[in-house]
Amino acid sequence: KGGKSAFSLYLAACAAKNIWPNPEYISGARALNVLYISWEDPDLMMAKRLSLYQLGMGKDRLDMPENLTFLFAPTLFLDRDDHAEALKEAISEYKSDIVIFDTLSHAHQADNENDATQLRIPMAKMYQVAQATKAGIIYIHHTAKGSGDRAMQEKARGSTAIAAAWHICLDWGVREKGSDVNPIQIQSKYEHETLEWAISYLKERDDNGH
């Protein structure tokens, strides 16, 4: 409940419109086709949330990005060959540049998230899908309890197969009590430097009380 999905959905909207909040930590050369797959929240609910985020981007609430597609897929499992193939077809159909998995823990059928043997299968399938479609995959995952003092790359919950799969890791951090600022750390396997951001957001009620 720290805001991972909210931030990911906001990034999806930014990427789809190529409009970035100030200060511009990141920017894009063009608007991207984004496929957002949710295992818990129906696409109607995600669209409602996004419509509220539109206001924060200075846009009309109904000005939804046409190249952002939501899929509600509670029974999609990466460790099934036919499901992985169906995912490839969906990515190709929507010409997706970016695919967001919300969340990884629901995207496989492994009984034990700590079992590297079980987790290697869905993580390998994810890699194969990315290679076949040339799409970038963002997977949202939970940190382990009591992981605050660990190194960033060791905070992921479950098997090391999960942490070993990422190329770039964004640690959402934990807000201090009473604060609206999230301490963000970003690390790339290809860079030695760790970036540190401070993401703040303010919730405001609209005319309808949302």
Side-chain angles (χ1 to χ4, degrees):
K1 303 300 181 181
K4 297 184 298 299
S5 294
F7 184 62
S8 299
L9 179 59
Y10 191 76
L11 284 182
C14 289
K17 285 181 171 290
N18 199 22
I19 298 176
W20 303 91
N22 289 317
E24 289 192 355
Y25 290 106
I26 47 181
S27 62
R30 63 176 177 86
L32 300 176
N33 295 322
V34 182
L35 178 60
Y36 196 109
I37 304 177
S38 173
W39 275 258
E40 295 182 282
D41 299 321
D43 47 2
L44 183 61
M45 182 181 296
M46 300 300 290
K48 181 180 179 181
R49 290 175 184 168
L50 179 60
S51 72
L52 296 174
Y53 296 169
Q54 293 287 104
L55 300 177
M57 298 173 69
K59 295 293 182 179
D60 185 273
R61 183 172 172 177
L62 300 180
D63 183 21
M64 306 286 276
E66 295 181 358
N67 50 331
L68 172 54
T69 302
F70 291 115
L71 286 183
F72 178 49
T75 57
L76 173 66
F77 301 114
L78 289 170
D79 38 11
R80 285 189 49 171
D81 290 341
D82 54 338
H83 288 201
E85 289 301 317
L87 178 58
K88 290 180 187 177
E89 292 176 7
I91 294 172
S92 298
E93 178 183 350
Y94 295 116
K95 298 180 173 61
S96 306
D97 299 297
I98 300 291
V99 183
I100 299 176
F101 289 177
D102 186 8
T103 61
L104 179 64
S105 59
H106 295 284
H108 58 79
Q109 300 179 100
D111 296 324
N112 184 357
E113 198 174 46
N114 295 306
D115 188 335
T117 302
Q118 293 186 49
L119 264 296
R120 284 194 191 101
I121 298 173
M123 303 313 293
K125 287 293 182 184
M126 186 190 305
Y127 179 80
Q128 292 170 9
V129 168
Q131 289 293 303
T133 61
K134 305 303 179 186
I137 295 180
I138 299 173
Y139 58 93
I140 303 173
H141 188 54
H142 301 277
T143 52
K145 292 183 179 180
S147 61
D149 295 331
R150 297 183 192 175
M152 180 180 170
Q153 62 271 24
E154 298 174 349
K155 288 184 178 181
R157 190 181 73 186
S159 166
T160 54
I162 296 173
W166 57 260
H167 293 169
I168 298 174
C169 180
L170 188 152
D171 179 9
W172 181 239
V174 179
R175 294 190 301 274
E176 293 184 3
K177 187 175 181 179
S179 172
D180 63 354
V181 178
N182 265 88
I184 309 298
Q185 285 190 322
I186 301 177
Q187 190 176 85
S188 167
K189 287 186 176 177
Y190 309 108
E191 303 287 344
H192 297 295
E193 181 183 6
T194 298
L195 300 178
E196 295 189 359
W197 295 355
I199 302 292
S200 63
Y201 52 91
L202 178 64
K203 293 186 290 185
E204 296 181 352
R205 292 193 178 277
D206 63 14
D207 295 337
N208 298 315
H210 296 295

